[in-house]
């Protein structure tokens, strides 16, 4: 890693944590943090194994991002896939730590949505890059928007028909927000792992 990474906790993460503390039981919130930390450690271990330098780690309201040196698509896919796979490794511990296993399942599944910059969106981009499929950006954008529309519609249905509450509606808005197009240069200076 050469020089030390800088870890930055953003204000939004603190506000989100405070709000979650008001809404969720403490045991569930702690389980969510443990599952999320394990997810990020799996990314970090994969990056270390691949010999990739990590410049900064940002902890924000939607999780953590690691800024790294640019890497080829194959390494990007492997390092990105490590987080969700790590999350799924916690699921068999359901009988011992059920809340951690449930949080890990939710985080792993959510991160695999093909919505950039979530892990699934990065994996999709990387695989399309490896396969040299023409129109990669357009394909990613269409898949991202279809995913966001499907998840948002499902969340709205859950809110209106199943009376699941505002939490499910917020989840749909979070996915739609993630799918909203942003300016991303073709060659990013840093690679970010969610």
């Amino acid at each position: 890693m050469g020089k030390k990474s800088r870890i930055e906790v953003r204000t939004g993460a603190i506000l989100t944590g405070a709000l979650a503390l008001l809404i969720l039981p403490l045991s569930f919130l702690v389980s969510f943090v443990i599952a999320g930390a394990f997810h990020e450690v799996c990314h970090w271990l994969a990056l270390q194994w691949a010999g990739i330098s990590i410049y900064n780690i940002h902890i924000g309201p939607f999780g953590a991002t690691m800024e790294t040196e640019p890497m080829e698509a194959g390494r990007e896919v492997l390092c990105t896939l490590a987080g969700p796979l790590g999350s799924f490794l916690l699921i068999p511990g359901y009988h011992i730590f059920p809340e951690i296993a449930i949080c890990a399942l939710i985080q792993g599944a959510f991160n695999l949505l093909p919505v950039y910059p979530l892990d699934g969106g990065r994996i999709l981009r990387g695989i399309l890059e490896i396969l040299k499929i023409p129109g990669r950006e357009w394909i990613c954008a269409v898949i991202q928007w279809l995913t966001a529309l499907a998840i948002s519609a499902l969340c709205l249905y859950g809110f209106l028909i199943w009376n699941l509450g505002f939490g499910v509606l917020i989840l749909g808005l979070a996915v739609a927000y993630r799918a909203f197009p942003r300016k991303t240069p073709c060659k990013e200076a840093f690679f970010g792992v969610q």
Side-chain angles (χ1 to χ4, degrees):
M1 205 157 78
K3 76 178 204 183
K4 285 193 165 198
S5 300
R6 200 177 94 230
I7 299 175
E8 174 188 335
V9 179
R10 296 188 171 152
T11 308
I14 296 168
L15 293 175
T16 302
L19 180 63
L21 192 55
L22 292 172
I23 297 170
L24 301 171
L26 183 60
S27 63
F28 188 78
L29 185 59
V30 169
S31 298
F32 196 80
V33 169
I34 290 170
F38 188 76
H39 177 100
E40 297 307 326
V41 165
C42 290
H43 282 307
W44 181 82
L45 287 171
L47 290 164
Q48 294 300 303
W49 175 76
I52 305 299
S53 295
I54 302 170
Y55 301 124
N56 295 306
I57 300 171
H58 304 282
I59 301 170
F62 292 108
T65 304
M66 295 181 202
E67 290 180 3
T68 70
E69 64 183 287
M71 64 182 93
E72 66 272 4
R75 281 188 179 183
E76 182 175 349
V77 168
L78 290 175
C79 292
T80 304
L81 194 56
L85 290 178
S87 293
F88 295 142
L89 285 175
L90 294 175
I91 296 170
Y94 177 79
H95 296 295
I96 302 166
F97 301 108
E99 289 177 341
I100 292 175
I102 291 168
C103 290
L105 174 65
I106 292 168
Q107 288 175 358
F110 182 78
N111 269 286
L112 281 178
L113 290 174
V115 175
Y116 185 84
L118 294 176
D119 294 336
R122 291 182 182 283
I123 292 166
L124 175 65
R125 282 177 35 171
I127 289 171
L128 292 175
E129 176 70 30
I130 291 167
L131 298 175
K132 304 288 185 218
I133 295 180
R136 292 184 286 277
E137 292 299 318
W138 184 82
I139 292 169
C140 286
V142 168
I143 290 173
Q144 183 166 294
W145 274 102
L146 290 175
T147 301
L149 288 173
I151 296 292
S152 298
L154 184 64
C155 290
L156 185 61
Y157 183 80
F159 174 73
L160 295 174
I161 306 301
W162 294 338
N163 298 320
L164 294 179
F166 283 103
V168 74
L169 201 56
I170 291 169
L171 173 65
L173 290 173
V175 172
Y177 169 77
R178 286 295 191 157
F180 195 73
R182 295 174 182 81
K183 284 188 174 181
T184 45
C186 294
K187 291 289 183 188
E188 295 177 89
F190 298 102
F191 164 75
V193 174
Q194 290 289 319

